[in-house]
Amino acid sequence: MTATPINFQVSLSNPPTPRNLTQTIDPALDSFDGRKAIVARGVDMVFQTGSQRFQALKDINLEVNVGDIHLLMGPSGSGKTTLLSILGGILTPTAGRVNLLGQELTRMSRSKLAQFRLNHIGFIFQEFNLFPALTAIENVELALDMKGIKGRAGRSAALDLLEQVGLDHKAKSLPRDLSGGQKQRVAIARALTGNPQIIMADEPTAALDSQSGHAVITLLRKLAKEHNRTVLMVTHDPRIIDVADQVTYLEDGVLHPAP
Ligand SMILES: Nc1ncnc2c1ncn2[C@@H]1O[C@H](COP(=O)(O)OP(=O)(O)OP(=O)(O)O)[C@@H](O)[C@H]1O
């Protein structure tokens, strides 16, 4: 399979910066200073299934700098996806606080949290999660539509995003006609709708061959280093360590220093 060269010539409009972040600091999180995109303090997660109680995360303290690529690594079942879901505002921790871009997720109402996620976080998953009946451009347009960018503006923005991930020539292809790497790049274009400051990815290269995986890693690195996005990623992929700024290791729900 030949991976299409990444074309990132078209600049992302209005790239995010840490601007104004200090204006929304929660004084309770004293370490937030505008350079931290993500701060977690004392995060616990306990799953209760009937009479079974399982503590998946224990007293997690974590800081991620704006513009960094930060990896969450560790053995299967160590709590990586649970932590990513909490930091992305998908799961609520049973204890502790999470602050993203100066705003405390753990104090937001459900509707405010949903809006915050939509505006500030782009999610990328291992299995791409594209709608099979929609073309590449329609998958991206749908995400734009949810963010209020509709009609002709939506189509043009979707095409622009596909161009940025080097896939404008596949705009009218259905997911079944795309390679794994191409599908993941459509998913990245979709995650970039609305210009989110934070990209959260769960094993984005796990389903890809080495060449496609490399293209996706290059793209994520460009997003962080040229466009100041903060990338938080769960991965088992050792190649990604080379481009990471920080690696956090989890074992049995507890953070460990890098080995
Ligand atoms: N909703 C849930 N209810 C009960 N237990 C859960 C739930 N979600 C996760 N767990 C448990 O929490 C632990 C951590 O799961 P998690 O998916 O976060 O691990 P992981 O490090 O991402 O694993 P993998 O690398 O295999 O994806 C596991 O033991 C899992 O079974």
Side-chain angles (χ1 to χ4, degrees), residues 47 49 54 56 74-83 203 234 236:
F47 291 113
T49 317
F54 178 76
S76 180
S78 56
K80 304 179 297 293
T81 296
T82 303
L83 181 56
E203 307 246 22
V234 168
H236 291 285

Side-chain angles (χ1 to χ4, degrees), residues 96-128:
R97 292 173 302 167
V98 175
N99 187 303
L100 260 59
L101 305 168
Q103 300 199 46
E104 196 161 338
L105 299 194
T106 29
R107 284 194 192 151
M108 285 180 193
S109 65
R110 268 181 183 279
S111 61
K112 192 163 177 227
L113 190 55
Q115 200 56 47
F116 182 89
R117 278 198 309 261
L118 205 59
N119 291 340
H120 299 290
I121 310 174
F123 291 97
I124 302 167
F125 305 96
Q126 177 179 342
E127 294 301 338
F128 326 126

